[in-house]
Amino acid sequence: MSSGGITSENREAYMEKASKAGMKIETDPGQDVALQSETFDPALLFEPLRVNALDLPNRLVMAPMTRNMSPGGVPGADVAAYYRRRAEGGIGTIVTEGTFVDETAGFTSTVPRFFGAEALAGWKHVVDEVHAAGAKIFPQFWHVGLMFLPADDLDNSNAVSPSGYGRPNELTGKPASVKVLEDTILAFGRAAASAQQLGFDGIQIHAAHGYLVDQFFWDATNHREDLYGGKDLVARSRFALDLVRACRAATSTDFPISFRFSQWKQQDFTARLAATPAELERFLLPLADAGVDIFDCSTRRFWEPEFEGSDLNLAGWTKKITGKITATVGSVSLNTDLFSSFATESRVTNNMVRLVEMLARGDFDLVDIGRAVIADPDFANKVRAGTLHELTPYSVAALATL
Ligand code: FNR
């Protein structure tokens, strides 16, 4: 998801615009566990992890977070310093903010691009800075499709979408031709090749949160009857499978591909792609076969069970089904979820005790940290030292600067 311009506006104005754009803001207290209530042992979070031929220094990943701070789509020295600072703070792996794969992919001019000499030179500097501080880094490839948010300032007349719907029942575009989809797939492949050439350690495909790839998965936005559509989720996965295959073909066989997906959509938090573990299995296994190495399973609260009858979360089920490396995410260390934090101040809590229990049980391998690592660049080092009481709480005001 995108911060969509909240950096330059006050919260009320942002929420009003966001609500007009159909983005839901809700207040939810989340899992609020008093900080000192239980003993916290961080050791497992700091074990290294091998992904193909890549060694990740620990289990903490900086989650992809749009910052809208790259004028003209070019990540500058300040963006490189921002990521380096988080690497110095002990985060093992960084997934960059969403970065646009081609001219049709974006909706704001300050989100960094992943094409064009100037933007790619900017990314090269980011990679070098992060590596100098000892962390690994993956770019996140993002295509918004027809899902526009309040800060939109680009020409959307060539927006790509499965059926002209960015939101259910809201026809705002036209179905993309197969040729346009093939061009988009090529753009993802080109971006993957550039990432490897620039020295990135892997890539992530953003297939979550109601953006283009998710618009194909979701029956409310994909009404196609050709090879990129159909009544069945597996049929609607063809576009994603082609993207994964294109990225795999454009890189060496051991170059890690991470795939971020979610049940929830910004357009509808209650939407679900898979209602049962069996459906999830039919959805995931072809993606794993196509070349996904890491599934980044996006949830808003990591402790929530995905299906009735088991306390496994989405990452837990995904690991059980595919045997692949999985990452969990959602409100780690915070008492608010991503959306409630637009409306409520957040507090640091001790929910990482539960997180480590789940990690120890083998539910997942990696943990994405989002807002907490924006608020506190030293998040990982403080967690390692067990000094959770020293963590800076997240506030939406933290988005004003890098
Ligand atoms: C996000 N998130 C997000 N996700 C994504 O896949 N690509 C993106 O570009 C963004 N952009 C973004 C911007 C901002 C300001 C925030 C706060 C979040 C979602 C993010 O990666 C993460 O999944 C959520 O924030 C939940 O993690 P936390 O914040 O609860 O730890």
Side-chain angles (χ1 to χ4, degrees), residues 1-4 6 62-67 82 95-99 111 140 142 204-209 211 260 264 296-302 328-334 336-339 341-342 368-374 394 396 399:
M1 78 141 267
S2 158
S3 60
I6 45 181
M62 179 174 176
M65 284 177 291
T66 295
R67 301 307 313 273
Y82 158 78
V95 179
T96 71
E97 60 205 285
T99 168
V111 168
Q140 187 192 53
W142 185 23
Q204 179 170 89
I205 296 171
H206 190 349
H209 307 168
Y211 294 110
R260 186 171 240 220
W264 66 273
D296 186 4
C297 309
S298 175
T299 49
R300 290 154 53 210
R301 305 174 197 93
F302 75 84
T328 196
V329 61
S331 308
V332 173
S333 83
L334 297 176
T336 55
D337 90 306
L338 167 61
F339 292 98
S341 66
F342 285 116
D368 298 346
I369 311 295
R371 292 161 294 151
V373 84
I374 287 183
Y394 172 80
V396 78
L399 298 179

Side-chain angles (χ1 to χ4, degrees), residues 24 37 54 83 98 128 158 189 193 228 265 269 301 339 346 359-360:
K24 290 180 191 158
S37 65
L54 176 70
Y83 286 118
D128 291 346
N158 289 323
Y228 289 112
K265 325 283 163 222
F269 289 154
R301 305 174 197 93
F339 292 98
S346 305
L359 179 66

Side-chain angles (χ1 to χ4, degrees), residues 193-211:
S194 300
Q196 190 164 30
Q197 277 156 18
L198 291 174
F200 279 95
D201 300 289
I203 55 156
Q204 179 170 89
I205 296 171
H206 190 349
H209 307 168
Y211 294 110

Side-chain angles (χ1 to χ4, degrees), residues 27-86:
T27 303
D28 184 319
Q31 191 194 47
D32 196 353
V33 187
L35 193 53
Q36 303 300 345
S37 65
E38 292 167 80
T39 317
F40 170 63
D41 180 357
L44 283 181
L45 290 168
F46 292 91
E47 286 193 355
L49 179 74
R50 175 156 273 231
V51 186
N52 302 342
L54 176 70
D55 288 315
L56 304 181
N58 61 45
R59 307 308 179 94
L60 295 178
V61 178
M62 179 174 176
M65 284 177 291
T66 295
R67 301 307 313 273
N68 275 313
M69 302 263 190
S70 297
V74 177
D78 52 348
V79 172
Y82 158 78
Y83 286 118
R84 180 179 180 136
R85 186 74 196 86
R86 271 74 194 170

Side-chain angles (χ1 to χ4, degrees), residues 99-105 113-117 120 123 139 141 143 179-200 202-203 205 242-252 255 257:
T99 168
F100 297 140
V101 292
D102 70 13
E103 291 283 358
T104 66
R113 300 166 162 207
F114 212 82
F115 58 93
L120 293 179
W123 281 121
F141 296 152
H143 195 308
K179 167 81 173 69
V180 165
L181 298 181
E182 285 169 354
D183 288 346
T184 308
I185 292 161
L186 289 175
F188 274 80
R190 269 196 308 276
S194 300
Q196 190 164 30
Q197 277 156 18
L198 291 174
F200 279 95
I203 55 156
I205 296 171
D242 282 359
L243 291 185
V244 174
R245 290 188 193 112
C247 292
R248 176 50 73 224
T251 54
S252 61
F255 190 64
I257 297 180

